[in-house]
Amino acid sequence: DQQVKQNSPSLSVQEGRISILNCDYTNSMFDYFLWYKKYPAEGPTFLISISSIKDKNEDGRFTVFLNKSAKHLSLHIVPSQPGDSAVYFCAANQGGSYIPTFGRGTSLIVHP
Amino acid sequence: GAGVSQSPRYKVAKRGQDVALRCDPISGHVSLFWYQQALGQGPEFLTYFQNEAQLDKSGLPSDRFFAERPEGSVSTLKIQRTQQEDSAVYLCASSLRAAGNTIYFGEGSWLTVV
């Protein structure tokens, strides 16, 4: 039973537009959420995170929004660039567990 | 280097062969994780170390899988009598604190069992 779900396996966006990647979770005990980016033949790279005490965290072109009541988070990339093309993984931590649980990933393609 | 280092990057093993995968975490990082990533899937947790202590090995799929971190730094994941379903990328990650929430991955060891 997947506790972290990324229901869209792929997303295609035009360069300069906004990319929105979605993630849902089922475990209400999760209190820290992370996004990782993965290029082919490389390991996942940490991108941005958010604690459950916040509903938004921004870092340059990347913003993560958290809706605790809906158990939903999203990653916004504005503006999207071709170099953003990668697989994006959502992950969640439960306080005291330290072990992130990952979703299956969404493949983002940004067209020039 | 400053990141998590894994070796070998690529390994082809014959079915039944034993393999050992090495992870050198970021210097000073207390926590070390092993994940398995099959094609088209997300990373799946295998085991977790805090310093030399293996605190959680609930994700190891069978007793053919064994991990150690004897001096609290370098870790080795060993797979005995490999089978085709063991083919995957094995990712090592580390984090600074025992309660660190952000983990940093290495590039992975790609295992193909033929």
Side-chain angles (χ1 to χ4, degrees):
Chain A
D1 183 32
Q2 278 220 302
Q3 296 188 68
V4 177
K5 299 177 184 179
Q6 294 178 258
N7 292 320
S8 297
S10 63
L11 176 68
S12 182
V13 171
Q14 198 75 25
E15 181 180 6
R17 299 284 185 101
I18 184 171
S19 294
I20 300 176
L21 297 107
N22 294 304
C23 178
D24 298 292
Y25 60 96
T26 58
N27 187 343
S28 58
M29 300 299 289
F30 285 147
D31 60 2
Y32 193 78
F33 304 88
L34 310 97
W35 284 94
Y36 286 81
K37 174 180 177 179
K38 185 181 182 303
Y39 292 119
E42 295 184 9
T45 304
F46 170 70
L47 195 56
I48 193 169
S49 62
I50 187 166
S51 165
S52 60
I53 61 173
K54 295 185 175 182
D55 54 19
K56 176 182 174 181
N57 188 26
E58 191 172 350
D59 183 2
R61 297 185 297 113
F62 302 91
T63 303
V64 56
F65 295 92
L66 175 62
N67 182 336
K68 289 185 288 295
S69 61
K71 295 192 182 69
H72 177 83
L73 64 156
S74 60
L75 174 68
H76 292 212
I77 307 173
V78 183
S80 302
Q81 299 173 354
D84 296 329
S85 298
V87 177
Y88 290 79
F89 292 101
C90 171
N93 252 352
Q94 179 176 331
S97 168
Y98 322 142
I99 300 170
T101 299
F102 285 81
R104 292 185 175 178
T106 297
S107 176
L108 172 66
I109 299 171
V110 180
H111 296 283
Chain B
V4 177
S5 178
Q6 292 188 246
S7 62
R9 287 293 317 276
Y10 303 95
K11 174 71 178 178
V12 178
K14 290 185 178 178
R15 192 159 54 101
Q17 187 178 355
D18 297 350
V19 300
L21 308 175
R22 175 190 167 105
C23 173
D24 204 336
I26 295 172
S27 178
H29 276 201
V30 168
S31 297
L32 185 144
F33 307 78
W34 283 99
Y35 281 81
Q36 179 191 59
Q37 185 177 12
L39 194 64
Q41 303 294 316
E44 294 281 346
F45 170 74
L46 293 177
T47 187
Y48 162 66
F49 290 86
Q50 184 177 315
N51 295 307
E52 69 278 2
Q54 189 175 22
L55 298 187
D56 191 328
K57 54 181 182 179
S58 62
L60 296 176
S62 77
D63 58 7
R64 296 186 295 104
F65 287 71
F66 171 77
E68 61 182 4
R69 193 186 184 198
E71 297 178 1
S73 178
V74 171
S75 176
T76 304
L77 176 67
K78 298 178 179 177
I79 309 172
Q80 297 177 323
R81 304 180 303 281
T82 51
Q83 300 176 4
Q84 282 191 316
E85 59 262 31
D86 300 334
S87 296
V89 179
Y90 291 86
L91 295 164
C92 178
S94 68
S95 68
L96 178 61
R97 303 183 304 273
N101 285 319
T102 300
I103 68 173
Y104 299 91
F105 284 93
E107 292 189 318
S109 289
W110 293 64
L111 173 66
T112 302
V113 181
V114 296

